[in-house]
Amino acid sequence: MCSDESKFCISFGYQGPRVWRTRGEAHNPRCLRSSVKFPQSEMVWGAMSSAGVGPMCFLRSKVNTAIYQEVLEHFMLPAADQLYGDADFIFQQDLAPAHSAKASSTWFKDHGIPVLNWPANSPDLNPIENLWDIVKRKMRYARPKNAEELKATIRATWALITPEQCHRLIDSMPRRIAAVIQAKGAPTKY
């Protein structure tokens, strides 16, 4: 099972029509477009396996060790039950400080969940990063007006992710690993 957090902003994707102007029109009101310096955003935690996606969680604050353990308890464990039942699995996460903290390692050991030993800074190898990209591309033309509409759009889009999409991402792992090895750790197309 792979998990990670991702940030969704109201203003990503479609930014409206382009503004074209000729010389001397720099301050003409019809040639100006307003923008938001710090758009409303939502931080989301999600998990996936080759069987599909699990429940997602909207995070209200920056993820520290205590919050991460709450997410694991209330969202990862139900996701594992939904996606694996009684079957064994290995949990994959990045090395964010809350994920790699001693208390988080202890939580996993106490719950009998093995964690994949994972290299630092390796988004090329985490399939959920590609899943977040798929979700954001599907939301490209959505125009949520506020945080609640953004959350509803994220939930609806997450629900559209099929087990087949997740399976294809997981199946791409041997190709991802080979590409990273061939690039000697440099970025790849993944």
Side-chain angles (χ1 to χ4, degrees), residues 57-78:
C57 170
F58 289 94
L59 303 167
R60 291 189 201 113
S61 63
K62 187 174 176 169
V63 179
N64 60 29
T65 305
I67 289 171
Y68 187 55
Q69 287 178 21
E70 282 184 38
V71 169
L72 294 172
E73 194 74 40
H74 299 291
F75 292 91
M76 191 280 286
L77 289 178

Side-chain angles (χ1 to χ4, degrees), residues 65 69 97-109:
T65 305
Q69 287 178 21
H99 301 179
S100 58
K102 193 173 202 172
S104 295
S105 297
T106 301
W107 187 94
F108 283 107
K109 285 181 185 141

Side-chain angles (χ1 to χ4, degrees), residues 17 19 51-52 89 101 122 126-128 187:
V19 176
F89 67 95
S122 58
N126 194 339
I128 199 161

Side-chain angles (χ1 to χ4, degrees), residues 1-2 47-54 79-85 87 131 161-171:
M1 175 187 302
C2 309
M48 66 170 288
S49 77
S50 63
V53 296
D81 285 343
Q82 172 189 329
L83 297 170
Y84 294 99
L131 184 63
I161 300 298
T162 65
E164 293 78 25
Q165 286 174 298
C166 295
H167 189 77
R168 279 194 302 273
L169 288 171
I170 299 296
D171 274 356

